[in-house]
Amino acid sequence: MRIITVKIPDAYLRDLDELVKTGLYPSRSEAIRTAVRELLRKELHKTIDEGAFHRTLQSRPRYTSKYRDFDY
């Protein structure tokens, strides 16, 4: 796994802490990973089937910035 920095509103942070406090998630990181996974699943799968999803990812161009290279 990679470490990233994300800025979020204080209200989101309080709510994340509440999810951890109530025991729904063991940490903020795990709650955020779950949220990102669900977002990706929802957004990437809503218009294409499973096989097309993987073909689409493989055929996408590589995005390059002057700082880092990212694979989709």
Side-chain angles (χ1 to χ4, degrees):
M1 273 191 247
R2 297 184 78 158
I3 296 173
I4 63 169
T5 301
V6 178
K7 292 183 179 186
I8 62 171
D10 288 337
Y12 289 10
L13 189 56
R14 283 190 300 273
D15 289 345
L16 279 170
D17 287 340
E18 187 64 28
L19 292 173
V20 173
K21 183 179 173 184
T22 60
L24 288 172
Y25 294 94
S27 66
R28 289 176 178 170
S29 293
E30 190 59 36
I32 292 168
R33 277 192 293 274
T34 299
V36 169
R37 184 173 49 249
E38 292 303 314
L39 171 70
L40 293 172
R41 183 177 295 138
K42 175 186 169 195
E43 294 299 321
L44 293 175
H45 292 276
K46 68 183 176 182
T47 58
I48 51 180
D49 65 74
E50 188 71 29
F53 165 71
H54 292 293
R55 287 190 301 278
T56 299
L57 285 182
Q58 291 171 353
S59 66
R60 281 188 171 176
R62 186 175 175 87
Y63 170 76
T64 303
S65 75
K66 67 179 184 176
Y67 301 107
R68 293 191 177 134
D69 292 338
F70 296 94
D71 283 321
Y72 288 98

